Amino acid sequence: METLLTAIILWLSANFELPANYEYPRIELASNSTMRTLYYQNFLLGNRSGADATDNKVPDSPRATELVAVYSSVSKTIYLPLGWTGKTPAELSILVHEMVHHLQNVGGLKYECPQAREKLAFVAQERWLRMYGTDLEKEFGIDPFSLLVLSNCGY
């Protein structure tokens, strides 16, 4: 896993001006309900910056929208869905998205709102997918308007 994380860190830092920090996050597989609990505990406690979530369709999932990953900045842990293998560009793009959040966290980067942190993560995920001839809409059902809503401050 460290070799994969190193490659992703190098790619992100070269393409998105993120700090190349090799303090690797923990990676854990978790159920959707566990990830939702982690996400909403932080949200309800007013510590929204403590967990960032990729909320979109899980590949091969019968449900249209499902939480597919969570990053905890407190524990520096990326929670990926049970069954995640990293064998497809779509699955790897989920890790890329969450690694953006990790690098934002360990780099001490500040944003005007939690949604603003998502903008770069989705841009990186989209660029990753395009290298493999696909995109966020094909893999996760995230169209440009949804992306705008997910990544802009609502005030």
Side-chain angles (χ1 to χ4, degrees), residues 46-63:
N47 183 17
R48 175 57 187 89
S49 62
D52 291 293
T54 305
D55 198 6
N56 51 31
K57 188 173 85 173
V58 176
D60 302 321
S61 170
R63 294 186 350 188

Side-chain angles (χ1 to χ4, degrees), residues 28-32 35 58-60 68 80-88 91 94:
E28 291 189 22
L29 299 182
S31 69
N32 192 266
M35 289 190 290
V58 176
D60 302 321
V68 298
L80 297 167
L82 295 174
W84 185 92
T85 63
K87 291 183 179 180
T88 67
E91 283 192 342
I94 295 167

Side-chain angles (χ1 to χ4, degrees), residues 9 18-26 49 52 71-77 98-111 117:
I9 291 167
L18 285 165
N21 187 312
Y22 297 96
E23 178 186 336
Y24 300 111
R26 286 183 31 225
S49 62
D52 291 293
Y71 174 70
S72 170
S73 60
V74 175
S75 67
K76 297 179 183 167
T77 302
E98 298 307 324
M99 281 301 294
V100 169
H101 294 314
H102 178 67
L103 293 177
Q104 290 168 328
N105 179 40
V106 296
L109 303 178
K110 304 293 181 201
Y111 295 87
R117 295 170 56 84

